[in-house]
């Protein structure tokens, strides 16, 4: 498979008020199913041992597939994010998670007005810190505004709360964080990637989603039902798909399967 191959996606069917039937053409029934099945260029190669499976069998197969990856250092994450999260309309900027702001790549750091490295799966949930592996995995590391990142902290994900200052519509309360609508699916698919990739077998904690908030240092993040709903509400965007491809082609050489196949969320959980 060429490194520049782009997944071919069959989008969710859209209900049509009027359907024109062409002579000799069989029109499939349109059904309202969650996260309609997708087909990608990687199904016969990268995902060949996972296609057709469900439940724990699918999760196990995906874990084996995505665990083959090139790991990078935490310091290398800075430059990687400048490539993975580049603003498609301004090559000198990155798009920040949660706020959606486009900010100069050069403003990476720890001061007000800078962007830093957000661990979407909070690094205290499982206590992996910045260790090479879960602490440096680009599939859940995103650039975020320093202040917005601090407000999110290590909170679990749930609906509700008050608006985050300069958060682009994100909300926060005492025990949870709700990203802006445009990032909800991204967050869900990043969290669930981590749950499949890190299962306790490589010296790190077994990461799992659950239905709770206030998980603290336990290796869990909630709420699963909310994350599943966000996966449905906010399908993968062109930005998210490009990001997955850059990580695969240039850095880790593994993929987030839930970007390629968002219906696999429901198939597993």
């Amino acid at each position: 498979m060429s490194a520049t191959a782009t997944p071919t996606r069959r989008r969710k069917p859209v209900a049509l008020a009027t359907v024109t039937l062409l002579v000799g053409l069989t029109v499939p029934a349109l059904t309202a199913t969650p996260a309609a099945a997708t087909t990608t260029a990687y199904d016969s190669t990268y995902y060949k041992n996972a296609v057709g499976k469900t439940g724990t069998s699918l999760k196990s197969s995906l874990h084996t597939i995505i665990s083959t990856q090139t790991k990078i250092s935490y310091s290398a994450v800075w430059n990687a994010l400048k490539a993975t999260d580049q603003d498609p309309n301004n090559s000198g900027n990155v798009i920040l998670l949660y706020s959606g702001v486009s900010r100069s790549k050069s403003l990476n750091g720890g001061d007000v007005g800078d962007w830093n490295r957000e661990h979407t799966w909070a690094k205290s949930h499982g206590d992996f810190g910045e260790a090479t592996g879960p602490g440096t995995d680009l599939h859940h590391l995103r650039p975020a505004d320093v202040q917005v990142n601090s407000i999110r902290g290590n909170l679990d994900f749930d609906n509700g709360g008050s608006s985050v200052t300069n958060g682009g519509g994100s909300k926060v309360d005492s025990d949870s964080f709700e990203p802006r609508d445009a990032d909800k699916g991204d967050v869900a698919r990043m969290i669930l990637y981590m749950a499949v990739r890190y299962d306790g077998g490589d010296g790190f904690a077994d990461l799992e989603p659950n239905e709770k908030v206030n998980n603290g240092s336990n290796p869990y993040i909630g709420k699963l039902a909310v994350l599943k709903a966000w996966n449905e509400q906010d399908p993968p965007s062109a930005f998210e798909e490009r990001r997955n491809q850059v990580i695969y082609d240039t850095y880790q050489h593994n993929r987030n399967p839930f970007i390629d196949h968002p219906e696999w969320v429901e198939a597993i959980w």
Side-chain angles (χ1 to χ4, degrees), residues 97-98 120-121 139-140 142 152 157-158 177 179-196 209 221-236 240 256-259 262 264-265 269:
L97 186 68
Y98 306 141
T120 309
W121 185 292
H139 282 297
H140 84 118
R142 298 285 290 267
R152 188 268 158 139
F157 293 106
D158 196 3
F177 189 89
R180 68 187 184 118
D181 287 347
D183 286 333
K184 284 187 165 109
D186 302 52
V187 166
R189 288 179 283 273
M190 286 187 283
I191 292 297
L192 298 176
Y193 161 88
M194 292 292 283
V196 171
I221 281 186
K223 294 180 176 177
L224 175 58
V226 172
L227 295 171
K228 288 173 62 178
W230 290 353
N231 176 59
E232 297 290 342
Q233 174 186 332
D234 174 35
E240 195 179 356
N256 182 334
F258 303 115
I259 296 174
W264 280 348
V265 170
W269 287 282

Side-chain angles (χ1 to χ4, degrees), residues 7 16 24 27 33 38 43 52 61 65 70 77 131 136 178 188 230 261:
L16 302 177
V27 179
T33 54
T38 55
D43 288 357
S61 292
I65 292 167
T70 300
V77 168
T136 65
E178 178 186 343
W230 290 353
H261 284 278

Side-chain angles (χ1 to χ4, degrees), residues 136-212:
T136 65
D137 196 313
L138 291 171
H139 282 297
H140 84 118
L141 281 160
R142 298 285 290 267
D145 175 79
V146 166
Q147 290 176 295
V148 175
N149 191 355
S150 178
I151 291 170
R152 188 268 158 139
N154 68 347
L155 294 172
D156 292 86
F157 293 106
D158 196 3
N159 292 313
S162 57
S163 295
V164 173
T165 302
N166 298 320
S170 297
K171 299 177 182 178
V172 68
D173 59 24
S174 62
D175 59 18
S176 69
F177 189 89
E178 178 186 343
R180 68 187 184 118
D181 287 347
D183 286 333
K184 284 187 165 109
D186 302 52
V187 166
R189 288 179 283 273
M190 286 187 283
I191 292 297
L192 298 176
Y193 161 88
M194 292 292 283
V196 171
R197 170 60 186 86
Y198 299 98
D199 68 351
D202 51 4
F204 297 104
D206 182 2
L207 307 183
E208 288 294 339
N210 66 5
E211 296 295 355
K212 297 170 57 179

Side-chain angles (χ1 to χ4, degrees), residues 96 101 103-104 106-116 144-148:
L96 305 187
V101 169
R103 185 166 295 170
S104 173
S106 65
L107 291 175
N108 62 296
D111 297 327
V112 173
D114 287 346
W115 60 268
N116 58 6
D145 175 79
V146 166
Q147 290 176 295
V148 175

Side-chain angles (χ1 to χ4, degrees), residues 10 18 22 50 55 78-79 91 102 122 124 126 130 151 172 177-179 192 229 236 248 251 253 266 268:
R10 189 168 72 250
T18 303
L22 302 177
W78 285 120
N79 284 332
S91 62
S102 177
S124 63
E130 296 161 3
I151 291 170
V172 68
F177 189 89
E178 178 186 343
L192 298 176
Y248 177 72
Y251 296 99
H253 310 297
E266 188 66 33
I268 293 174

